[in-house]
């Protein structure tokens, strides 16, 4: 996108894909990749299509030929940067490399079958928090206590909803370096979530770990619709988790 006044690039672009699975693959593969020395931020566009016959569809799955497409992208990145794509191999214990590589080139990038993708993303998040990641399995993920880890697509405390929600993993404060990034994230969140109802307030917890954002809506229905839409969604290689809360911090 170019600024019509200055003719200078505004630093972002919109891409359209015929298959939403391809779009999801592009989002997950290119997120955080370095281009001209800067990490790319990718995600689903909030703009509505200007073409009446075009229907916007999102997906959290990958195409069957994901590995082949990732290989092609890697070759292009080598030509552009000389380094290729950043891989998940840099984020996991060396003893776990073989298990990732067994899934093919896309597996090495964390682009695994949908059933395993959640655990891979959690492994990367664990690394960011200083914890030891583990390679995903086909079995249900369990915590150290033996309890089953809640499905990210399930909204926390949904049996007792309120007008306030807490969204986890929206950002990583340690990766944000641009001045005023908190306000940019707040505006993006408001733009995305205002379609579900009137928002009274949005609070970005920029000083705390966990990428947390609190939001208050005009009604329980609005908060519920937003919570359901965000829960389990992938954003910048992080899977969002959402829960209802009684209030927001002052």
């Amino acid at each position: 996108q170019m600024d019509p006044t200055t003719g200078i690039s505004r630093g972002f672009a919109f891409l359209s894909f015929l298959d939403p699975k391809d779009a999801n693959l592009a989002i997950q593969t290119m997120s955080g990749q370095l281009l001209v020395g800067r990490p790319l931020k990718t995600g689903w566009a909030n703009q509505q299509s200007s073409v009446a016959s075009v229907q916007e569809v999102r997906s959290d799955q990958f195409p069957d030929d994901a590995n082949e497409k990732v290989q092609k992208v890697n070759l292009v990145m080598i030509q552009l940067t000389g380094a290729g794509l950043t891989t998940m191999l840099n984020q996991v214990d060396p003893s776990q490399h073989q298990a990732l590589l067994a899934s093919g080139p896309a597996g090495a990038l964390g682009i695994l079958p949908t059933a395993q993708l959640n655990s891979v993303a959690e492994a990367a998040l664990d690394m960011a928090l200083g914890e030891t990641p583990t390679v995903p399995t086909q079995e249900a993920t369990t915590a150290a206590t033996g309890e089953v880890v809640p499905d990210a697509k399930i909204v926390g405390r949904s049996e007792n909803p309120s007008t306030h929600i807490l969204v986890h993993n929206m950002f990583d404060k340690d990766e944000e370096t641009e001045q005023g990034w908190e306000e940019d994230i707040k505006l993006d969140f408001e733009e995305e979530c205002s379609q579900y109802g009137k928002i009274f307030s949005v609070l970005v917890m920029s000083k705390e770990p966990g990428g947390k954002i609190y939001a208050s809506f005009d009604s329980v229905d609005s908060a519920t619709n937003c919570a359901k839409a965000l829960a389990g969604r992938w954003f910048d290689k992080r899977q969002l988790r959402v829960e209802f809360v009684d209030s927001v911090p002052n």
Side-chain angles (χ1 to χ4, degrees):
Q1 293 287 316
M2 305 295 291
D3 188 309
T5 303
T6 64
I8 300 175
S9 172
R10 299 173 64 185
F12 61 89
F14 294 98
L15 302 176
S16 297
F17 294 80
L18 293 177
D19 189 339
K21 294 181 181 179
D22 286 331
N24 187 49
L25 178 64
I27 289 172
Q28 303 302 334
T29 303
M30 297 308 298
S31 176
Q33 300 295 335
L34 292 177
L35 191 60
V36 197
R38 301 187 65 180
L40 299 178
K41 291 186 178 182
T42 61
W44 296 101
N46 296 324
Q47 288 191 342
Q48 298 296 319
S49 173
S50 58
V51 182
S53 60
V54 174
Q55 180 181 6
E56 295 185 353
V57 180
R58 298 184 181 187
S59 175
D60 61 356
Q61 298 181 337
F62 298 116
D64 294 335
D65 58 347
N67 281 302
E68 291 78 4
K69 289 179 176 176
V70 168
Q71 283 181 304
K72 292 179 180 179
V73 172
N74 188 54
L75 292 176
V76 173
M77 289 296 288
I78 290 176
Q79 295 175 345
L80 290 175
T81 68
L85 293 167
T86 303
T87 72
M88 281 290 294
L89 294 182
N90 298 328
Q91 301 180 350
V92 301
D93 187 271
S95 64
Q96 311 287 359
H97 285 184
Q98 193 59 42
L100 282 177
L101 289 172
S103 297
L109 287 164
I111 307 302
L112 298 177
T114 303
Q116 300 180 23
L117 187 58
N118 179 31
S119 296
V120 171
E122 289 178 351
L125 181 60
D126 288 343
M127 280 299 297
L129 297 176
E131 302 175 3
T132 303
T134 57
V135 170
T137 66
Q138 294 291 347
E139 301 175 359
T141 306
T142 57
T145 59
E147 298 179 355
V148 177
V149 176
D151 186 346
K153 294 183 179 180
I154 298 177
V155 179
R157 217 192 77 175
S158 57
E159 72 284 355
N160 184 25
S162 69
T163 58
H164 313 289
I165 64 172
L166 169 58
V167 184
H168 301 263
N169 299 336
M170 278 294 301
F171 57 88
D172 184 341
K173 67 180 183 64
D174 296 326
E175 294 181 355
E176 301 293 345
T177 57
E178 296 183 5
Q179 186 175 5
W181 64 267
E182 305 97 325
E183 186 64 20
D184 289 340
I185 289 179
K186 178 181 178 181
L187 293 176
D188 287 343
F189 185 91
E190 290 176 339
E191 181 181 359
E192 169 67 20
C193 299
S194 60
Q195 61 182 303
Y196 304 108
K198 185 177 180 179
I199 300 177
F200 283 155
S201 66
V202 173
L203 179 61
V204 178
M205 307 301 287
S206 58
K207 305 298 183 182
E208 297 184 6
K212 295 182 290 186
I213 291 182
Y214 287 89
S216 298
F217 289 82
D218 63 335
S219 69
V220 172
D221 286 343
S222 297
T224 299
N225 291 335
C226 181
K228 290 180 177 179
L230 295 182
R233 181 188 295 186
W234 290 94
F235 180 75
D236 200 14
K237 283 190 176 179
R238 292 181 294 271
Q239 190 173 32
L240 305 183
R241 294 180 179 273
V242 187
E243 61 181 303
F244 289 103
V245 294
D246 292 324
S247 60
V248 301
N250 295 324

